[in-house]
Amino acid sequence: MTAQGAALPRRPAQAGGPAGASGVLSQLLLAVVCGGYATGAAFGWGSPELATTMGDFGLSGAAVLAAVSCFWYARTRTTRFRPAWLLFAVSSGMAGFGNAVWGWYEVVLGARVPATSAADFCFLLFAPPAIIGLLVLARRPVTRAGWVCLALDAWLIGGSLLTLSWSLALAHTAHFAGETVAHAALSLAYPLLDIVLVSMVLALHFRRSSANRSAVNTAIAALALTVLCDALFTSPLLRENYRSGQILDAGWFAGYMLMAYAPWVAREQHGTPAPAGPAQQPVRPIAGSLAALTPYLAAAVCTLGILYNVLDGHHVDRVVLFTGCTVVLALVVRQGIMLLDNISLTQELAQQENHFRSLVQGSSDVIMIAAPTGILRYVSPAAAGVYGREAEELVGSELASLIHPEDLGRVVHEVRRFLAAPPADEPSTRIECRFRSGDGEWLNVESTVNRHHGGLIFNSRDVTERVRLQAQLQHTAEHDPLTDLPNRALFTKRVQQALTGRRMTDSGTAVLFIDLDGFKAVNDTVGHQAGDELLVQAARRLQESVRAGDSTARFGGDEFAALIIGDGTRDPAAREYRILEIADRLRATLSQPYVVEGGTEVRVAASIGVAFAEPGITPGTLMRNADLAMYRAKQAGKGRVELYAPQMQADVVRRAELATRLRTALHDGEFALLHQPVVELATGRITAVAAQPRWRSPQGILFTPAEFLRVADLDRDEESTRTAELGRWTLEKAVEQAAQRRRAGHCVPVYVRISAARLMDASLPPKHLETLLLRHGVPSGGLVLELTGGDPRVPLDELERRLLSLRRFGARVALDGFGSGYAAMTALRRLPVDVLRLDRELVDGVAESARLHKITSGLLRIAGDLGVLSVAEGVDDAEQARALRAMGCTHAQGLAFSGPLDEHRLRHALGRGAFPVPGDGPEGDGARGPLPPLGGGGKRVLVGGPLPVEMILSAGARGGSAGGAGALAHAPLRSNNETPVPPT
């Protein structure tokens, strides 16, 4: 290109490496050996005997060396020319054997070589293998016409050489008088085979294969030199005066040495690759021109042979005349074949040109050819449809002026890199840039670039729609579809950039996690469409409340986040005040009323967690800290801002460990099921048992689930999950043990506590309770479900239908915590209740408080009027038992009778059938079997546990334990759900 374009680099000539140096040394050694032989032959070798020896055995040794070299190369190298080198080895071997026979006569026997000897036959067999080997090296024709042209070319050359040789020498050889027919035939066969060999050398020189060209050229040169020396030897004048060791032998010696060196040329030059690349200017091969002129040169030589005979006054020999006529006829036939071939090639070329022109002009891609200067030389007609500009308008313009300035540098760099790369390694490259269209808009263009005569070919297509679609898909993948805020992935990327970018040293960078409190209620009451509108408005308020350099995001549901970039403030107190002020402003903004679908006004609060970026913190850690702070804000009462503190992470780790312990306890069978008797106040008879799960700590202490969950401080979802698992286990275990007691003769119902929400929850499989009752054969009334909690989200209609279905299978319903609120009264009014369980808070003060006494009496009167049983929970002393019985309470459960018992002690208690009931005397002695008094005014009670333990119940104190003996021996009694906290 021009000043802004790419200039085609030129490659410097590469110096040969070690292989190149080895090739030069070999060539130098070959030249020295051949030159030394030629010098010795020129000066007669110093003596006739040495000249004869060097002329005979020296040539034999060189020929044998050539045979061994060609044979060894063919044996050790895997190449498709292996047969050619084997044939050259045979040809050289024949020459070596012939020279050895010649030396045997002249050197060893000291006799003249016979006119017809074995050496003549060896020399005669030199040409056929060499001719066949040249055929192997040649590039074979692929058509029948090609083979005919090859034969005609060989005859044109051979015939012209035969005409010239016959006119100069062979005619005299054929008319030697007094010679035998065999000698005359040998005299003519050797030069004729040489003529055939020369013809093949010349004909195949222009048709040789491009592979191993250096080796092939060297072999052809060796054969040509050998044939030339044979032609000189054939001359009668030189043959009559020939003596071994003369200068003519130097030609043969050089030919043999070249043949020995020929197969190894390619191996020596392999380490020096020819320069490649666009910098090389194409050179028109001379071989093609000479190949085209070969028939005419051959005819010219034949004509010169005939003219020589005419001008010399000799009679035109019939051989010369016949050969000349056949040469002319071969020339005419060859020209006819070439003419037909040219017509066929011209038609085929025209068809291919039309084909490619149609492809280029009809292609939807734009094809452009640019010169090395960056000027467009050709532009296909598709430019009008793609670029909105005519091809003629673009031709001659600079390519750099059509590329977007922001992309030009990248394009120029890629073009220069591509042109500097070897074409074999990188034949093409791909460039994408913006291209100016006819209306001035920028189009996204993708181009495939190829080299072309020092320039470049651009195959370009418009990919604007694809780029837009990719950008849209990228935006969709990184943004929330509802609010169009960045999603978690993009927000995390921006946090990473803030922590590692150029502003990583700015103090005060913080991440805010935001959760909308009460959003689920909006969905449940107003509808999801209104909830979506609220989220869109909240996102807009969030974006408007932060600065331009800050980032906001929505993670899903009602969770948002904000990245506040620091302003460089070094004072920790100042930056904390600034961020908290921003967070409080966001909280107030997001807590303003929202007007949603239908003009309805709704309100939500915002809980915000703030975490500062400290040195070395990772994006994941920073976002986790903000998330922990946000959850702490929700736990602390919602609608507030909390700053992250390291203690929050420690609390999370502790809760995770305790949750893991609870999960392990559930799965490893560390929970035990105890049962507390439900006693009839009138008789003391055990009428039912209440199932109470306990977790057995490694120290052997039993803890209630409520205590363990409270200490674990689980979040609501995790606590709900653990409670569901524990409730399912308790229910199945209680029904199973109740069935076993029934088979043992103890038919008492079992109370199992379950919340209304859990009874209706999807986590409890459908018909699970029904299947459980049928599988264990529990009779009607054998299972009593204690409904706990007054969740307003549980529809009473559905709960009523569910309870009626369970009653049909024999289950009974007890309303737990009766008297604790309006929800219990509503449930009593709507649900099929069989038992009312008085709340513990009423029982605790029933003996001391007159107000509670009246309330409890009223509730018991309601139970009596409705005809349902009443059970008082937490009856831990005799005064409570007497007061409740006097009010009309029918049943009680508490430490005044028994604590929770394991299965063995429960069966023992069921075997006794009843517990002592406090009497009506003024001193509180039991009318029916009072307990024996102890010193200090205390009374003895039986407390359930792993071992039978007798504890002192002090006057006015209420206590008890479900723990083991070791835990209770030195501790005051507590109620059945207040046990020591498990160790952490």
Side-chain angles (χ1 to χ4, degrees):
M1 301 179 186
T2 54
Q4 298 174 327
L8 299 181
R10 296 190 176 274
R11 289 176 169 267
Q14 297 180 353
S22 176
V24 173
L25 184 62
S26 301
Q27 295 172 6
L28 182 62
L29 180 62
L30 180 64
V32 169
V33 172
C34 293
Y37 191 95
T39 303
F43 291 97
W45 297 102
S47 65
E49 292 80 5
L50 181 58
T52 303
T53 302
M54 293 301 297
D56 293 337
F57 290 109
L59 291 181
S60 177
V64 171
L65 178 63
V68 172
S69 175
C70 294
F71 179 77
W72 182 256
Y73 181 83
R75 284 289 305 273
T76 58
R77 296 294 183 271
T78 302
T79 172
R80 64 187 181 93
F81 296 137
R82 181 180 179 183
W85 296 112
L86 289 175
L87 290 169
F88 289 153
V90 173
S91 176
S92 300
M94 291 294 101
F97 188 73
N99 282 290
V101 172
W102 197 287
W104 174 263
Y105 282 105
E106 288 190 338
V107 177
V108 178
L109 300 180
R112 186 179 179 84
V113 180
T116 302
S117 64
D120 294 326
F121 291 100
C122 290
F123 291 143
L124 190 65
L125 293 177
F126 166 78
I131 294 172
I132 299 174
L134 288 175
L135 286 173
V136 174
L137 289 178
R139 185 172 65 249
R140 298 176 181 83
V142 295
T143 62
R144 187 177 301 175
W147 283 104
V148 174
C149 289
L150 177 62
L152 293 175
D153 289 342
W155 172 243
L156 285 172
I157 298 173
S160 60
L161 292 178
L162 177 61
T163 302
L164 186 61
S165 301
W166 190 273
S167 300
L168 296 177
L170 294 183
H172 301 284
T173 301
H175 293 86
F176 283 161
E179 292 186 355
T180 62
V181 176
H183 182 268
L186 286 174
S187 301
L188 289 176
Y190 192 70
L192 289 177
L193 286 176
D194 281 343
I195 290 174
V196 174
L197 184 59
V198 170
S199 302
M200 294 302 301
V201 167
L202 293 177
L204 298 177
H205 174 71
F206 306 111
R207 294 176 177 267
R208 66 187 182 276
S209 175
S210 59
N212 295 335
R213 177 165 298 190
S214 300
V216 174
N217 288 340
T218 304
I220 290 176
L223 293 175
L225 185 58
T226 303
V227 170
L228 177 62
C229 294
D230 289 344
L232 295 175
F233 178 76
T234 305
S235 174
L237 181 61
L238 291 178
R239 186 169 185 176
E240 290 175 359
N241 299 322
Y242 171 76
R243 297 291 184 272
S244 297
Q246 292 180 350
I247 191 65
L248 187 61
D249 291 345
W252 279 313
F253 183 84
Y256 298 147
M257 294 302 294
L258 280 176
M259 182 59 72
Y261 174 69
W264 308 98
V265 175
R267 178 173 178 267
E268 292 172 355
Q269 293 183 352
H270 181 70
T272 310
Q280 286 187 321
Q281 297 296 332
V283 180
R284 186 176 181 181
I286 302 177
S289 301
L290 293 178
L293 294 176
T294 299
Y296 304 100
L297 293 176
V301 170
C302 183
T303 303
L304 289 176
I306 297 175
L307 290 177
Y308 173 79
N309 283 274
V310 174
L311 295 177
D312 197 28
H314 297 88
H315 177 69
V316 178
D317 193 278
R318 285 178 296 178
V319 175
V320 174
L321 184 60
F322 177 77
T323 304
C325 292
T326 55
V327 168
V328 173
L329 180 60
L331 178 62
V332 172
V333 174
R334 188 185 186 282
Q335 289 302 108
I337 295 176
M338 291 298 297
L339 180 61
L340 294 176
D341 193 22
N342 287 338
I343 294 174
S344 177
L345 288 177
T346 302
Q347 293 176 350
E348 184 178 354
L349 181 61
Q351 292 177 356
Q352 292 182 354
E353 183 178 358
N354 293 332
H355 175 69
F356 285 108
R357 182 181 290 108
S358 300
L359 289 177
V360 171
Q361 293 182 354
S363 174
S364 59
D365 295 347
V366 181
I367 299 176
M368 301 182 295
I369 299 177
T373 58
I375 303 299
L376 293 177
R377 293 178 176 174
Y378 172 79
V379 179
S380 65
V386 176
Y387 299 148
R389 308 177 67 173
E390 296 296 333
E392 294 78 7
E393 178 185 351
L394 293 175
V395 173
S397 60
E398 291 187 7
L399 186 59
S401 63
L402 303 173
I403 299 176
H404 197 282
E406 296 178 0
D407 301 337
L408 183 58
R410 176 172 51 84
V411 172
V412 170
H413 174 76
E414 176 62 20
V415 169
R416 287 178 174 172
R417 185 204 62 78
F418 170 64
L419 293 177
D425 297 341
E426 192 171 3
S428 64
T429 187
R430 190 178 298 274
I431 295 175
E432 187 168 335
C433 62
R434 284 168 288 181
F435 200 88
R436 189 190 301 274
S437 65
D439 54 4
E441 295 183 357
W442 294 103
L443 303 176
N444 293 93
V445 175
E446 182 185 65
S447 302
T448 302
V449 185
N450 296 275
R451 299 172 178 86
H452 174 70
H453 295 302
L456 296 171
I457 297 179
F458 293 83
N459 191 348
S460 307
R461 63 193 60 86
D462 182 10
V463 293
T464 304
E465 290 301 324
R466 189 193 71 186
V467 172
R468 290 176 181 172
L469 180 59
Q470 288 177 345
Q472 182 180 355
L473 292 176
Q474 182 72 16
H475 181 85
T476 303
E478 294 182 341
H479 288 76
D480 175 57
L482 178 62
T483 63
D484 202 40
L485 289 181
N487 59 12
R488 184 184 294 271
L490 181 56
F491 186 79
T492 305
K493 186 185 302 182
R494 291 183 178 178
V495 174
Q496 175 72 27
Q497 294 171 355
L499 296 180
T500 60
R502 62 181 181 85
R503 303 191 63 178
M504 62 178 298
T505 57
D506 289 351
S507 300
T509 298
V511 170
L512 280 63
F513 267 41
I514 307 164
D515 185 85
L516 300 181
D517 304 320
F519 174 73
K520 189 176 186 305
V522 175
N523 279 339
D524 294 339
T525 57
V526 187
H528 288 275
Q529 181 65 32
D532 292 344
E533 292 184 15
L534 187 149
L535 292 175
V536 172
Q537 295 180 33
R540 185 164 56 249
R541 293 183 186 182
L542 183 61
Q543 282 184 307
E544 294 172 352
S545 300
V546 299
R547 301 169 303 178
D550 300 332
S551 299
T552 58
R554 179 184 176 228
F555 289 169
D558 57 347
E559 292 187 358
F560 295 85
L563 172 65
I564 308 299
I565 302 298
D567 57 358
T569 303
R570 298 294 179 180
D571 185 8
R575 72 176 186 180
E576 181 176 329
Y577 176 79
R578 183 181 69 88
I579 294 298
L580 290 179
E581 184 182 16
I582 294 175
D584 193 65
R585 186 174 67 249
L586 286 176
R587 182 196 59 77
T589 302
L590 294 174
S591 300
Q592 294 296 322
Y594 296 85
V595 179
V596 294
E597 182 181 10
T600 305
E601 183 178 288
V602 295
R603 289 178 178 269
V604 294
S607 297
I608 301 179
V610 181
F612 283 99
E614 302 296 338
I617 195 170
T618 62
T621 303
L622 179 59
M623 295 171 63
R624 182 206 63 192
N625 294 345
D627 194 21
L628 291 176
M630 185 265 290
Y631 273 104
R632 180 57 60 89
K634 293 179 71 68
Q635 292 174 356
K638 303 181 180 179
R640 54 187 293 144
V641 177
E642 283 287 340
L643 184 62
Y644 170 77
Q647 182 61 32
M648 295 180 183
Q649 178 62 23
D651 293 342
V652 170
V653 174
R654 182 175 60 87
R655 288 198 302 268
E657 292 176 353
L658 292 173
T660 302
R661 290 175 59 186
L662 176 58
R663 188 181 302 109
T664 303
L666 284 171
H667 293 167
D668 294 351
E670 296 181 8
F671 271 86
L673 190 63
L674 304 182
H675 293 81
Q676 189 172 25
V678 177
V679 178
E680 186 179 16
L681 286 175
T683 62
R685 183 172 56 88
I686 302 175
T687 60
V689 292
Q692 297 180 3
R694 296 292 188 267
W695 175 67
R696 189 184 303 276
S697 71
Q699 292 80 10
I701 304 176
L702 296 177
F703 300 100
T704 66
E707 291 168 334
F708 190 86
L709 295 175
R710 184 177 66 251
V711 174
D713 195 18
L714 303 174
D715 59 52
R716 181 174 299 175
D717 293 336
E718 189 171 1
E719 181 180 358
S720 177
T721 302
R722 300 284 80 81
T723 304
E725 294 181 14
L726 181 59
R728 188 180 302 115
W729 177 85
T730 302
L731 183 62
E732 294 176 355
K733 193 72 173 177
V735 173
E736 179 185 356
Q737 292 185 1
Q740 293 174 356
R741 286 193 297 271
R742 179 176 175 272
R743 288 191 291 270
H746 304 295
C747 300
V748 291
V750 60
Y751 285 73
V752 179
R753 185 169 295 180
I754 185 171
S755 67
R758 185 62 56 197
L759 186 64
M760 302 299 297
D761 192 11
S763 62
L764 195 65
K767 302 298 182 181
H768 177 71
L769 287 173
E770 292 86 341
T771 304
L772 191 64
L773 294 173
L774 292 176
R775 182 170 69 246
H776 292 285
V778 177
S780 178
L783 175 64
V784 181
L785 299 176
E786 299 182 30
L787 290 182
T788 64
D791 194 342
R793 295 175 298 179
V794 178
L796 288 180
D797 294 338
E798 296 182 10
L799 181 60
E800 181 181 7
R801 286 193 294 270
R802 178 71 175 133
L803 292 176
L804 289 175
S805 173
L806 290 172
R807 283 174 61 85
R808 285 193 293 270
F809 280 85
R812 295 296 178 258
V813 179
L815 190 59
D816 191 43
F818 185 69
S820 60
Y822 171 77
M825 297 300 295
T826 304
L828 181 61
R829 180 173 58 88
R830 297 284 302 275
L831 302 179
V833 177
D834 300 293
V835 180
L836 290 181
R837 294 177 64 86
L838 292 182
D839 188 73
R840 174 180 295 274
E841 295 180 358
L842 297 176
V843 177
D844 283 344
V846 71
E848 294 87 1
S849 173
R851 186 179 183 88
L852 287 179
H853 189 282
K854 292 180 179 180
I855 294 175
T856 306
S857 298
L859 294 177
L860 291 173
R861 194 177 305 114
I862 293 174
D865 293 343
L866 293 177
V868 297
L869 297 178
S870 57
V871 178
E873 297 185 53
V875 181
D876 296 337
D877 56 36
E879 290 82 357
Q880 293 173 349
R882 285 195 299 268
L884 290 169
R885 186 177 60 181
M887 294 178 194
C889 183
T890 58
H891 296 77
Q893 171 187 341
L895 295 179
F897 306 99
S898 172
L901 304 174
D902 59 17
E903 188 65 21
H904 174 73
R905 289 171 181 80
L906 176 63
R907 293 197 180 189
H908 179 70
L910 291 174
R912 290 192 308 172
F915 286 100
V917 179
D920 300 328
E923 299 297 327
D925 296 333
R928 294 179 174 86
L931 297 176
L934 289 175
K939 297 183 181 298
R940 295 180 183 274
V941 296
L942 182 64
V943 179
L947 296 172
V949 180
E950 286 188 347
M951 298 301 299
I952 299 174
L953 185 62
S954 301
R958 301 183 185 93
S961 176
L968 299 176
H970 305 287
L973 289 177
R974 296 173 182 163
S975 62
N976 61 321
N977 63 349
E978 295 179 0
T979 53
V981 174
T984 59

